[in-house]
Amino acid sequence: MIIQQMKKLLFLLFIFATRSLSGQQADKLNHFFNEKENRWADSVYQSLSQTERIAQLLIVRANNSRENYFPEISQYIQKYGIGGVCYFGSGAMRQAKQNNAWQKISRVPLLTAIDGEWGLGMRLDSTISFPYQMTLGAIENDQLIFEMGKEIGKECKRMGIHMNFAPVVDVNVNPNNPVINSRSFGDNPQKVATKALAFLNGMQSEGILATAKHFPGHGDTDSDSHHTLPVINRSVARMDSVELFPFKKLIANNLSGIMIAHLYIPAYEKEENLASTLSPSIVNGLLRETLKFNGLIVTDALDMEGVTKFVQPGEIEVRALMAGNDLLLLPKDVPKAISSIADALESGRIDSNYFEKNVKKILLYKYRAGLNKKQEIDLRNLIADLNNSKAFALNQSLFEQAIILLKNTQNTLPLLPETTSNTAVLSIGMNSANAFSSMVKNYANLPFFRLPKSFDLAQQEKLKSDLRKYPTLIVALGGTSMFPNRNFGLTSESIQLINELAKSRTVIFTFFGSPLAYREFLKTDSLFASAIIAHQDNEFAARAVAQQLFGALPFRGKLPV
């Protein structure tokens, strides 16, 4: 009997502490927002039905990549009053038109979001793709990264996007990470934090809600949370010094939002296979209480198997809200999510005061994003504005600063045009071969030979015969990818051919792939006279490398891993 009374007392104390904490956080939030913003949020909240208040918590999937927008979104807006939508792969003009149509029928303007880690080009046709974050990790000039964040912010604003789920601040300490890898700035917590801060400061200077991810850190996994629940078996001390380091720095510098990962971390959560997204000890405990984060907390996509594998839709959203999340991203079943939260509120499972503060918090951030007014994207000159010359020049500068001269043991570089009469260029699988060859020809009229990504023995033997009279080769390997489970897009025949050529002549190896992918050559790179890591196979990297080969530009990049 005494034990039962003690348990009841402890439970009541926990509830009281949780509610007190929520009140403290609301007070801090009210100090952060001005009186006008608070009045607007209170007024809108009072005008909403209970269903509409619940729906404000939901950011719904607008479409699957490269597929039509879901027709039921209009119904969700009109019937429930959903809080926002998240867009995936499509065309810029198409998305703008759809966004205008949905905003027009939404009583409370929609918060629109996108995964734009390397800009709108990550999701939208006819827009610019800036460098991957690991490419940025090789740049020493962080002001350029700030300028990139600012430009991405401007482009988001032009597209009517309010929240960008970027930057990725995972410290990629596991080179076999299948889901983060080149999306990370690197494996050094301090550098990751510094570069992420430059990126988010740029975006936030344009009024975009930056969202650092994936808390408490997805960099030390060898499985993909899209398909399973990764387990991180690291100590609290290790997590604090590595994974949490960038988050702590960003929290101290006015970060708007944080996305919670689907991870199982026994050091923080004792319930087996409970995703961090649903863990009160991680969201409310670690992030809110310990790290003092009072910004928007967003779940990772709630339709991912990292969370749906162990908990059902409906219950997922209830537990995510109870854990301390503010925005529920991509619920798998929208009507089920709303009805389940309604039931939990009615039964008292979700505290009504806590719920009210959550909804008002979202409304406050909507005001801060300009959503106190109806918004419409001006379609005139949209594509031209998103592809402005300043953005292209910035992109070129970023790649010029990122490319790494990994080795130059024989002082082969820079090449002198007058000494290249016995030099040829071989490109293998390159997407940007034309941009590369055009720029090289500005310095020397070298013969060019090309092979596709996959080639047969007859093609290989003919190439060897053609190259016999050239003792020096610039070998450019492209067609790479960021996925280690696909061997980074590398083929065994390409690797073998390059190594074989390097045994019999001077090879300047230019690798249009990531430093993580270059590991495939570590055992044999002693064969190369010079080796260059160009990170990505695109026209910006191709033009930069061609100039660097001849000394027109210096190599400035540093290894990020």
Side-chain angles (χ1 to χ4, degrees), residues 472-534:
T472 300
L473 281 180
I474 300 169
V475 178
L477 177 61
T480 57
S481 78
M482 64 164 63
F483 303 109
N485 57 347
R486 301 176 196 169
N487 201 36
F488 298 101
L490 300 175
T491 62
S492 57
E493 56 260 43
S494 294
I495 295 170
Q496 289 170 6
L497 174 62
I498 292 168
N499 290 336
E500 185 178 342
L501 291 171
K503 289 175 183 176
S504 58
R505 68 204 75 207
T506 299
V507 164
I508 300 161
F509 182 40
T510 300
F511 182 57
F512 288 88
S514 81
L516 293 173
Y518 188 85
R519 289 179 304 152
E520 293 291 333
F521 294 95
L522 286 180
K523 291 180 181 178
T524 56
D525 82 338
S526 59
L527 297 170
F528 307 140
S530 303
I532 298 163
I533 294 180

Side-chain angles (χ1 to χ4, degrees), residues 236-282:
V236 169
R238 154 55 199 268
M239 293 291 295
D240 187 69
S241 63
V242 176
E243 279 76 12
L244 295 185
F245 185 91
F247 288 102
K248 288 189 287 187
K249 182 163 184 175
L250 271 55
I251 288 169
N253 285 275
N254 301 316
L255 170 66
S256 297
I258 285 178
M259 178 181 283
I260 309 294
H262 302 315
L263 304 167
Y264 174 53
I265 310 173
Y268 295 130
E269 178 53 59
K270 301 309 176 189
E271 183 179 335
E272 190 173 356
N273 292 324
L274 182 66
S276 42
T277 335
L278 310 183
S279 169
S281 64
I282 289 175

Side-chain angles (χ1 to χ4, degrees), residues 11 15 19 322 341-352:
F11 177 75
I15 294 296
R19 290 179 181 177
M322 292 174 67
I341 293 171
D343 290 344
L345 281 164
E346 188 175 349
S347 69
R349 190 178 172 200
I350 295 176
D351 178 66
S352 59

Side-chain angles (χ1 to χ4, degrees), residues 408-466:
N408 191 27
T409 52
Q410 298 177 26
N411 293 319
T412 315
L413 299 177
L415 295 170
L416 300 175
E418 61 269 22
T419 64
T420 57
S421 57
N422 295 319
T423 301
V425 180
L426 168 63
S427 72
I428 303 175
M430 278 189 73
N431 300 321
S432 57
N434 290 335
F436 185 61
S437 62
S438 295
M439 185 58 75
V440 166
K441 285 175 180 175
N442 287 330
Y443 300 95
N445 190 23
L446 304 184
F448 268 77
F449 299 89
R450 291 185 176 89
L451 276 179
K453 189 171 181 177
S454 295
F455 48 86
D456 57 30
L457 185 60
Q459 289 173 300
Q460 178 174 297
E461 291 307 311
K462 183 182 185 308
L463 175 77
K464 287 180 183 177
S465 175
D466 292 340

Side-chain angles (χ1 to χ4, degrees), residues 107-308:
R107 187 156 71 88
V108 180
L110 297 165
L111 182 73
T112 59
I114 196 170
D115 269 310
E117 295 165 20
W118 51 88
L120 297 184
M122 182 172 173
R123 298 296 180 191
L124 296 177
D125 298 338
S126 308
T127 58
I128 297 173
S129 288
F130 288 96
Y132 297 154
Q133 289 191 186
M134 190 161 285
T135 306
L136 299 174
I139 295 174
E140 295 202 294
N141 181 0
D142 293 332
Q143 180 62 29
L144 274 178
I145 299 173
F146 171 86
E147 294 297 334
M148 185 200 77
K150 189 174 182 67
E151 178 60 33
I152 290 173
K154 287 180 179 178
E155 292 176 16
C156 283
K157 199 155 58 172
R158 184 67 180 86
M159 277 296 297
I161 295 164
H162 314 107
M163 192 171 207
N164 189 6
F165 297 133
V168 174
V169 301
D170 301 314
V171 183
N172 200 81
V173 291
N174 187 334
N176 295 315
N177 195 317
V179 66
I180 303 301
N181 50 74
S182 291
R183 296 166 66 197
S184 165
F185 288 106
D187 61 10
N188 182 294
Q190 177 64 55
K191 288 185 177 180
V192 168
T194 301
K195 294 181 189 308
L197 183 60
F199 187 176
L200 81 89
N201 280 341
M203 280 197 296
Q204 292 190 167
S205 72
E206 291 297 321
I208 301 301
L209 301 174
T211 313
K213 59 188 185 185
H214 307 79
F215 187 86
H218 210 318
D220 193 13
T221 60
D222 54 14
S223 54
D224 185 346
S225 55
H226 291 86
H227 307 297
T228 189
L229 180 63
V231 179
I232 297 184
N233 279 308
R234 297 294 183 186
S235 68
V236 169
R238 154 55 199 268
M239 293 291 295
D240 187 69
S241 63
V242 176
E243 279 76 12
L244 295 185
F245 185 91
F247 288 102
K248 288 189 287 187
K249 182 163 184 175
L250 271 55
I251 288 169
N253 285 275
N254 301 316
L255 170 66
S256 297
I258 285 178
M259 178 181 283
I260 309 294
H262 302 315
L263 304 167
Y264 174 53
I265 310 173
Y268 295 130
E269 178 53 59
K270 301 309 176 189
E271 183 179 335
E272 190 173 356
N273 292 324
L274 182 66
S276 42
T277 335
L278 310 183
S279 169
S281 64
I282 289 175
V283 184
N284 259 333
L286 178 61
L287 184 53
R288 286 193 190 275
E289 296 177 46
T290 304
L291 300 184
K292 311 297 183 189
F293 180 64
N294 294 306
L296 276 176
I297 300 177
V298 189
T299 69
D300 205 342
L302 296 179
D303 57 2
M304 289 165 58
E305 290 183 34
V307 66
T308 61

